[in-house]
Amino acid sequence: MTHTTDPRPLYREALTWTTGLIDNVREDQLTASTPCADFDVRTLLGHLVATVERARVIGEGGDPRSIPIVVADIRDDGYADAYRSAADRMWPVWADDHSLDATVTAPWGTVPGRAAIWGYINETLVHGWDLAVATGQPSETRPELAEAVLGVARQAIPAEPRGGPVPFADVVDPLPTAGPTERLANWSGRKSI
């Protein structure tokens, strides 16, 4: 799927879904834990902003490591605006169809632009799921979106080995009731809710 599909519409949809979740985070939830052991809600929000900034830098031909893993200088009530602003700066970089086949440097290696975007769609949905679970919001995006990303994730992120250069926890067996977004999170090592 990553070789021919234009992932930009799916990335836009993933960002829109996650923006809605960010809009509904209350300030009293910022210190809550999330299914992602590395982040509480506040740092997860800063990480989500960083992922969009990294997608922009990658599309510009830069080094994504020039952007911190967590953008930390955001007011507690400013995460939704920061996320929207990051997306507004990122989209023009990927507007040219040729950018999809250009070779770029992602944190996981040198790949075609479309593969980098697929990686950031995965990150957006998995961390969106983390945020939804942590803040008591509906944790499933549109099923077809999550299924498409899960199909790509299963090809791009090996089930074994995990850890070290493959920065994901072991795959979690999904619950029988798990929807596709939760199954995507399970593939990234998140425990079912």
Side-chain angles (χ1 to χ4, degrees):
M1 181 175 250
T2 60
H3 298 292
T4 59
T5 302
D6 182 349
R8 293 173 297 186
L10 299 178
Y11 190 27
R12 187 176 298 278
E13 183 179 353
L15 289 169
T16 298
W17 178 67
T18 303
T19 300
L21 296 171
I22 295 169
D23 278 335
N24 291 316
V25 173
R26 299 184 321 265
E27 285 190 47
D28 66 316
Q29 295 175 316
L30 292 175
T31 58
S33 61
T34 73
C36 182
D38 294 337
F39 302 126
D40 64 8
V41 170
R42 179 181 282 114
T43 53
L44 177 60
L45 292 168
H47 178 65
L48 280 164
V49 172
T51 65
V52 181
E53 293 287 1
R54 283 180 166 213
R56 175 186 52 79
V57 168
I58 289 168
E60 292 171 340
D63 182 353
R65 292 171 299 232
S66 67
I67 303 295
I69 291 173
V70 175
V71 176
D73 60 348
I74 301 172
R75 294 183 336 268
D76 285 350
D77 63 352
Y79 288 103
D81 288 341
Y83 197 65
R84 283 186 185 89
S85 294
D88 289 347
R89 289 188 302 276
M90 182 267 303
W91 280 120
V93 172
W94 291 100
D96 186 339
D97 290 345
H98 292 93
S99 66
L100 298 176
D101 297 313
T103 301
V104 299
T105 301
W108 55 91
T110 302
V111 297
R114 78 181 67 240
I117 293 173
W118 277 111
Y120 281 101
I121 300 169
N122 180 75
E123 186 143 11
T124 301
L125 292 183
V126 170
H127 284 312
W129 183 87
D130 291 334
L131 182 62
V133 169
T135 58
Q137 298 184 61
S139 60
E140 288 293 324
T141 189
R142 185 174 64 87
E144 295 81 6
L145 171 60
E147 289 287 2
V149 178
L150 180 57
V152 171
R154 285 183 173 146
Q155 293 173 12
I157 306 168
E160 294 180 359
R162 292 286 178 107
V166 183
F168 295 91
D170 290 340
V171 174
V172 172
D173 290 329
L175 296 172
T177 57
T181 310
E182 185 173 342
R183 290 195 314 271
L184 176 64
N186 296 151
W187 188 259
S188 291
R190 304 298 197 277
K191 293 190 193 278
S192 292
I193 52 175

